[in-house]
Amino acid sequence: MPRRYTLGKRAEAQADTRRRIVEATLRLYREVGIGGATVPVVARAADVSPATVRNHFPGPTDLAAAAADAILTELGMPDESIFAGAGAAIERLDRLLVEVAAFFERSSGWWEVRVADRTRGDAWAAPEAQYDERIRALIRAAVGPVGEDPAAVAIVAAVLVHVYFAGRAAGLTSAAAVDVERSLLVPWLEARPGVS
């Protein structure tokens, strides 16, 4: 008699396999670096065959994208909900600075993995571009009409990332680094036409 399949159970099993593969990939990123998480190594760690990994993630960028999504979900990357109830651009900018700083602090272990492994190659280009776009979208939402100017978005992004990490590297607390960002960006933003 042929074996009967229940579609719901099969979908659950596939989702479970996919989750195990992503979890194994994240464990390997921490243990051996991004470059060490090859398909055969991931397959062994997830207790599946390499073909199963390739079935769920056909290209090298597919697994990297799934891992990046899992990391950002785990870390609680801010989204536009951080601006709920905020009125003026200055208040939205302040929320952006505080929430992104908190995100950076939560993600410090993953930043170390990313920076330490220079062999991550092209597989991480698309996830990193998507991450950068998510940051730019938050900036545009924070600064309102000013965000239509690509130069303005680039300036805020530079302060948001580079000034923050430079301050932290120099020994500033997270709150003190945010204060420096605020002291640079608020007067600049207030001087822009159309800021409300």
Side-chain angles (χ1 to χ4, degrees):
M1 181 165 166
R3 187 173 165 186
R4 291 180 51 151
Y5 286 98
T6 305
L7 289 179
K9 291 189 185 241
R10 185 169 184 210
E12 281 179 30
Q14 287 178 332
D16 181 59
T17 300
R18 183 179 176 88
R19 179 192 49 75
R20 282 195 347 256
I21 292 168
V22 171
E23 287 175 355
T25 301
L26 297 179
R27 246 186 348 270
L28 289 165
Y29 283 174
R30 287 183 174 114
E31 294 169 6
V32 298
I34 294 169
T38 63
V39 168
V41 173
V42 169
R44 274 193 303 278
D47 196 26
V48 298
S49 72
T52 300
V53 174
R54 286 188 203 94
N55 182 49
H56 284 272
F57 304 99
T61 59
D62 299 322
L63 184 54
D69 284 344
I71 291 167
L72 295 178
T73 299
E74 171 191 322
L75 297 174
M77 182 171 183
D79 59 25
E80 290 191 25
S81 69
I82 65 173
F83 305 121
I90 300 302
E91 185 180 359
R92 292 190 310 270
L93 175 66
D94 192 63
R95 287 195 188 177
L96 175 72
L97 298 177
V98 169
E99 293 296 330
V100 170
F103 169 71
F104 286 160
E105 293 302 312
R106 289 190 301 271
S107 63
S108 62
W110 281 114
W111 283 110
E112 292 167 11
V113 169
R114 179 181 172 267
V115 169
D117 196 338
R118 300 291 181 201
T119 63
R120 64 185 181 274
D122 293 338
W124 273 83
E128 287 180 357
Q130 290 170 344
Y131 166 81
D132 291 341
E133 180 49 38
R134 288 175 73 175
I135 293 289
R136 286 190 301 273
L138 284 173
I139 292 168
R140 287 190 297 271
V143 299
V146 173
E148 294 172 15
D149 177 2
V153 173
I155 289 166
V156 175
V159 172
L160 189 69
V161 176
H162 300 293
V163 171
Y164 181 81
F165 284 113
R168 293 294 280 135
L172 295 180
T173 65
S174 178
V178 168
D179 285 342
V180 172
E181 291 177 303
R182 193 179 287 120
S183 72
L184 295 169
L185 288 173
V186 168
W188 171 82
L189 186 58
E190 287 175 329
R192 306 283 298 191
V195 171
S196 59

